[in-house]
Amino acid sequence: MLSEKLVEEFNEQIKHEFFSANYYLSMAAYCKDQNLDGFANFFIVQAEEERFHAMKFFNFLDEMGSRVVITGYDDPRTDFESMSDVFAAGLEHEQFVTKRIHHLMDIAMDEKSYPAISFLNWFVDEQVEEEATMTDLLEKLKLINNNPNGLFMLDKELSTRTFVSEEA
Ligand code: FEO
């Protein structure tokens, strides 16, 4: 049984995860408009991951006998200056999500809610990976410095990314 506060915060997180999916789809749309389909593919897969995250929260609440409540979210940003700008926005967003996950963990630990702590551990690890991926690509883009050949090569590399459910 989860506390009212945890149920409320977990439902709030479902909203953030679905917003993340939309935000990354918005980035994919910008990449498509720049004719960078590999980058677009990266963000389309990222959006799938975010929906997967949202559903993990949905299923956990349901398993714990708690009520899932789906609410709306704000419009995502739609325009960007460059690929570096896109990934800087992606990294900033992941840093925000990491803060959210740590906030949820703080509450779960305060309440000694062991099921919630165990569930959130997966997200703590996932956020390390999410931030590392965005940082790595941002660093690569800084090196490329808008060189068309470099962008083309990275676009090709990102076109191979596929969604793999991390569920064991
Ligand atoms: Fe659901 Fe990218 O964190």
Side-chain angles (χ1 to χ4, degrees):
M1 181 86 179
L2 295 171
S3 71
E4 217 173 284
K5 188 174 182 185
L6 269 182
V7 173
E8 196 180 303
E9 291 279 358
F10 274 37
N11 272 314
E12 175 81 13
Q13 191 61 27
I14 291 177
K15 181 176 80 174
H16 287 301
E17 299 293 346
F18 278 126
F19 171 81
S20 301
N22 252 23
Y23 196 10
Y24 289 130
L25 264 189
S26 180
M27 292 179 189
Y30 170 80
C31 297
K32 282 268 182 194
D33 195 49
Q34 302 294 308
N35 298 312
L36 290 166
D37 285 4
F39 282 93
N41 176 64
F42 172 88
F43 285 112
I44 288 168
V45 172
Q46 190 67 26
E48 282 182 63
E49 277 199 7
E50 299 302 347
R51 281 190 290 268
F52 173 73
H53 294 169
M55 289 311 296
K56 273 180 87 81
F57 278 98
F58 184 109
N59 291 330
F60 179 71
L61 281 174
D62 183 52
E63 275 174 19
M64 294 295 289
S66 301
R67 176 79 164 92
V68 175
V69 180
I70 301 296
T71 54
Y73 38 79
D74 295 337
D75 289 343
R77 181 179 164 193
T78 55
D79 220 356
F80 302 88
E81 303 291 324
S82 62
M83 281 305 124
S84 296
D85 187 30
V86 174
F87 279 90
L91 177 59
E92 191 184 350
H93 184 65
E94 288 303 334
Q95 287 165 339
F96 164 75
V97 175
T98 299
K99 280 202 185 95
R100 279 284 317 163
I101 296 295
H102 292 179
H103 170 65
L104 297 181
M105 186 62 110
D106 283 343
I107 300 169
M109 288 177 85
D110 278 352
E111 295 186 4
K112 292 190 167 55
S113 175
Y114 300 113
I117 292 167
S118 176
F119 171 77
L120 288 167
N121 268 327
W122 185 91
F123 280 92
V124 171
D125 294 343
E126 175 71 0
Q127 283 311 119
V128 172
E129 212 178 283
E130 294 276 74
E131 286 195 29
T133 304
M134 291 294 172
T135 303
D136 177 53
L137 287 164
L138 184 56
E139 291 302 318
K140 279 184 179 154
L141 282 161
K142 277 184 193 158
L143 284 176
I144 288 169
N145 195 22
N146 276 332
N147 173 288
N149 280 344
L151 271 181
F152 177 75
M153 296 283 284
L154 191 52
D155 189 64
K156 205 169 163 193
E157 187 185 319
L158 295 179
S159 69
T160 60
R161 187 187 191 201
T162 53
F163 175 66
V164 182
S165 160
E166 293 94 339
E167 290 287 30

